[in-house]
Short mmCIF file of all heavy atoms in Angstrom, two decimals:
data_model
loop_
_atom_site.label_atom_id
_atom_site.label_comp_id
_atom_site.label_asym_id
_atom_site.label_seq_id
_atom_site.Cartn_x
_atom_site.Cartn_y
_atom_site.Cartn_z
N GLN A 52 -42.66 8.77 -44.41
CA GLN A 52 -42.14 7.68 -45.25
C GLN A 52 -41.76 6.58 -44.27
O GLN A 52 -41.25 6.73 -43.17
CB GLN A 52 -40.89 8.16 -46.05
CG GLN A 52 -40.37 7.15 -47.14
CD GLN A 52 -39.29 7.71 -47.87
OE1 GLN A 52 -38.41 8.55 -47.43
NE2 GLN A 52 -39.09 7.32 -49.16
N GLN A 53 -41.86 5.37 -44.86
CA GLN A 53 -41.46 4.23 -43.99
C GLN A 53 -39.92 4.15 -43.85
O GLN A 53 -39.13 4.60 -44.81
CB GLN A 53 -41.94 2.84 -44.66
CG GLN A 53 -43.39 2.56 -44.61
CD GLN A 53 -43.70 1.26 -45.32
OE1 GLN A 53 -42.86 0.84 -46.33
NE2 GLN A 53 -44.76 0.62 -44.95
N ILE A 54 -39.45 3.73 -42.66
CA ILE A 54 -38.07 3.81 -42.40
C ILE A 54 -37.35 2.80 -43.53
O ILE A 54 -36.20 3.14 -44.02
CB ILE A 54 -37.79 3.18 -40.93
CG1 ILE A 54 -38.14 4.30 -39.95
CG2 ILE A 54 -36.25 2.87 -40.79
CD1 ILE A 54 -38.17 3.92 -38.52
N GLY A 55 -37.96 1.78 -43.79
CA GLY A 55 -37.26 0.79 -44.84
C GLY A 55 -37.12 1.47 -46.14
O GLY A 55 -36.16 1.09 -46.84
N HIS A 56 -37.91 2.54 -46.51
CA HIS A 56 -37.73 3.20 -47.85
C HIS A 56 -36.78 4.51 -47.61
O HIS A 56 -36.07 4.75 -48.59
CB HIS A 56 -39.22 3.66 -48.18
CG HIS A 56 -39.92 2.71 -48.74
ND1 HIS A 56 -41.48 2.73 -48.76
CD2 HIS A 56 -39.77 1.34 -49.06
CE1 HIS A 56 -41.88 1.60 -49.15
NE2 HIS A 56 -41.01 0.70 -49.37
N PHE A 57 -36.79 4.98 -46.40
CA PHE A 57 -35.92 6.15 -46.13
C PHE A 57 -34.47 5.67 -46.11
O PHE A 57 -33.60 6.37 -46.53
CB PHE A 57 -36.31 6.71 -44.87
CG PHE A 57 -35.55 7.82 -44.32
CD1 PHE A 57 -35.27 9.02 -45.02
CD2 PHE A 57 -34.74 7.75 -43.09
CE1 PHE A 57 -34.41 10.05 -44.61
CE2 PHE A 57 -33.98 8.72 -42.64
CZ PHE A 57 -33.76 9.88 -43.50
N CYS A 58 -34.19 4.41 -45.64
CA CYS A 58 -32.87 3.92 -45.38
C CYS A 58 -32.41 3.24 -46.65
O CYS A 58 -33.14 2.67 -47.34
CB CYS A 58 -32.82 3.01 -44.17
SG CYS A 58 -33.02 3.75 -42.50
N PHE A 59 -31.10 3.25 -46.73
CA PHE A 59 -30.38 2.50 -47.81
C PHE A 59 -30.50 1.01 -47.43
O PHE A 59 -30.63 0.20 -48.33
CB PHE A 59 -28.95 3.00 -47.89
CG PHE A 59 -28.12 2.11 -48.83
CD1 PHE A 59 -28.26 2.22 -50.22
CD2 PHE A 59 -27.24 1.03 -48.29
CE1 PHE A 59 -27.56 1.35 -51.04
CE2 PHE A 59 -26.54 0.38 -49.13
CZ PHE A 59 -26.64 0.49 -50.59
N GLU A 60 -30.45 0.66 -46.17
CA GLU A 60 -30.49 -0.72 -45.78
C GLU A 60 -30.88 -0.81 -44.23
O GLU A 60 -30.61 -0.01 -43.48
CB GLU A 60 -29.11 -1.39 -45.85
CG GLU A 60 -29.05 -2.91 -45.62
CD GLU A 60 -27.65 -3.51 -46.04
OE1 GLU A 60 -26.69 -2.79 -45.65
OE2 GLU A 60 -27.62 -4.59 -46.44
N VAL A 61 -31.69 -1.84 -44.06
CA VAL A 61 -32.14 -2.14 -42.69
C VAL A 61 -31.91 -3.69 -42.36
O VAL A 61 -32.35 -4.55 -43.19
CB VAL A 61 -33.68 -1.81 -42.38
CG1 VAL A 61 -34.10 -2.31 -41.02
CG2 VAL A 61 -33.98 -0.37 -42.62
N LYS A 62 -31.19 -3.97 -41.37
CA LYS A 62 -30.91 -5.51 -41.24
C LYS A 62 -30.70 -5.73 -39.76
O LYS A 62 -30.30 -4.83 -38.92
CB LYS A 62 -29.58 -5.85 -42.00
CG LYS A 62 -28.40 -5.00 -41.64
CD LYS A 62 -27.29 -5.35 -42.71
CE LYS A 62 -26.09 -4.49 -42.48
NZ LYS A 62 -25.04 -4.63 -43.53
N VAL A 118 -27.36 3.75 -37.72
CA VAL A 118 -28.22 3.91 -36.48
C VAL A 118 -28.69 2.43 -36.12
O VAL A 118 -29.06 1.61 -36.77
CB VAL A 118 -29.52 4.68 -36.73
CG1 VAL A 118 -30.37 4.90 -35.44
CG2 VAL A 118 -29.17 6.13 -37.22
N ALA A 145 -30.01 -2.56 -37.40
CA ALA A 145 -29.17 -1.63 -37.91
C ALA A 145 -29.71 -0.96 -39.10
O ALA A 145 -30.17 -1.67 -40.07
CB ALA A 145 -27.80 -2.28 -38.40
N MET A 146 -29.74 0.39 -39.11
CA MET A 146 -30.36 1.11 -40.14
C MET A 146 -29.31 2.01 -40.72
O MET A 146 -28.63 2.91 -40.05
CB MET A 146 -31.45 2.02 -39.59
CG MET A 146 -32.67 1.12 -39.07
SD MET A 146 -33.74 2.09 -38.01
CE MET A 146 -32.89 2.11 -36.42
N THR A 147 -28.95 1.83 -41.98
CA THR A 147 -27.87 2.68 -42.68
C THR A 147 -28.59 3.53 -43.68
O THR A 147 -29.43 3.07 -44.58
CB THR A 147 -26.90 1.67 -43.45
OG1 THR A 147 -26.39 0.79 -42.51
CG2 THR A 147 -25.88 2.56 -44.09
N THR A 148 -28.46 5.00 -43.48
CA THR A 148 -29.20 5.89 -44.36
C THR A 148 -28.06 6.17 -45.54
O THR A 148 -27.01 5.67 -45.65
CB THR A 148 -29.39 7.16 -43.64
OG1 THR A 148 -28.19 7.62 -42.99
CG2 THR A 148 -30.43 6.80 -42.46
N ARG A 149 -28.63 7.14 -46.37
CA ARG A 149 -27.78 7.45 -47.61
C ARG A 149 -26.58 8.59 -47.28
O ARG A 149 -25.85 8.70 -48.12
CB ARG A 149 -28.70 7.88 -48.67
CG ARG A 149 -29.56 6.80 -49.21
CD ARG A 149 -30.70 7.12 -50.09
NE ARG A 149 -31.29 6.06 -50.64
CZ ARG A 149 -32.30 5.25 -50.05
NH1 ARG A 149 -32.60 5.59 -48.74
NH2 ARG A 149 -32.77 4.28 -50.62
N ASN A 150 -26.82 9.20 -46.15
CA ASN A 150 -25.78 10.22 -45.71
C ASN A 150 -25.79 10.34 -44.21
O ASN A 150 -26.72 9.96 -43.55
CB ASN A 150 -25.97 11.44 -46.54
CG ASN A 150 -27.25 12.11 -46.41
OD1 ASN A 150 -27.72 12.42 -45.23
ND2 ASN A 150 -27.99 12.38 -47.35
N GLN A 153 -28.95 12.32 -42.74
CA GLN A 153 -30.09 11.54 -42.41
C GLN A 153 -29.96 10.61 -41.25
O GLN A 153 -30.86 10.35 -40.59
CB GLN A 153 -30.33 10.76 -43.83
CG GLN A 153 -30.82 11.59 -44.93
CD GLN A 153 -31.02 10.73 -46.21
OE1 GLN A 153 -30.59 9.56 -46.22
NE2 GLN A 153 -31.62 11.39 -47.24
N ALA A 154 -28.60 10.06 -41.13
CA ALA A 154 -28.47 9.16 -39.93
C ALA A 154 -28.61 10.07 -38.62
O ALA A 154 -29.29 9.45 -37.70
CB ALA A 154 -27.04 8.57 -39.97
N LEU A 157 -32.39 10.42 -38.10
CA LEU A 157 -33.04 9.30 -37.76
C LEU A 157 -32.86 8.79 -36.29
O LEU A 157 -33.57 8.36 -35.63
CB LEU A 157 -32.59 8.04 -38.67
CG LEU A 157 -33.28 6.76 -38.51
CD1 LEU A 157 -34.81 6.76 -38.63
CD2 LEU A 157 -32.75 5.69 -39.41
N LEU A 161 -35.98 8.89 -33.54
CA LEU A 161 -36.42 7.62 -32.91
C LEU A 161 -36.15 7.69 -31.41
O LEU A 161 -36.98 7.19 -30.66
CB LEU A 161 -35.80 6.51 -33.44
CG LEU A 161 -36.22 5.94 -35.02
CD1 LEU A 161 -35.46 4.91 -35.41
CD2 LEU A 161 -37.67 5.76 -34.94
N ILE A 185 -39.89 -2.26 -37.51
CA ILE A 185 -39.12 -1.06 -37.60
C ILE A 185 -39.17 -0.61 -39.21
O ILE A 185 -39.28 0.63 -39.33
CB ILE A 185 -37.70 -1.23 -37.16
CG1 ILE A 185 -37.76 -1.46 -35.71
CG2 ILE A 185 -36.90 -0.04 -37.44
CD1 ILE A 185 -36.43 -2.04 -35.03
N SER A 186 -38.97 -1.36 -40.11
CA SER A 186 -38.78 -0.99 -41.46
C SER A 186 -40.17 -0.50 -41.88
O SER A 186 -40.18 0.53 -42.70
CB SER A 186 -38.55 -2.23 -42.35
OG SER A 186 -37.36 -2.82 -42.11
N ILE A 190 -42.09 7.75 -40.47
CA ILE A 190 -41.67 8.88 -39.67
C ILE A 190 -41.76 10.23 -40.72
O ILE A 190 -41.68 9.97 -41.99
CB ILE A 190 -40.26 8.75 -39.25
CG1 ILE A 190 -39.25 8.58 -40.38
CG2 ILE A 190 -40.21 7.55 -38.30
CD1 ILE A 190 -37.84 8.47 -39.89
N ILE A 192 -40.24 13.02 -42.80
CA ILE A 192 -38.97 13.27 -43.48
C ILE A 192 -38.71 14.58 -43.97
O ILE A 192 -39.24 14.96 -45.09
CB ILE A 192 -38.82 12.10 -44.73
CG1 ILE A 192 -39.05 10.81 -44.26
CG2 ILE A 192 -37.42 12.36 -45.23
CD1 ILE A 192 -38.06 10.23 -43.26
#
Side-chain angles (χ1 to χ4, degrees):
Q52 189 176 28
Q53 289 181 334
I54 288 176
H56 293 155
F57 174 63
C58 291
F59 173 75
E60 189 176 33
V61 178
K62 56 190 176 184
V118 180
M146 296 164 277
T147 302
T148 58
R149 290 167 176 81
N150 57 56
Q153 292 178 349
L157 180 63
L161 289 176
I185 294 170
S186 294
I190 64 172
I192 306 296

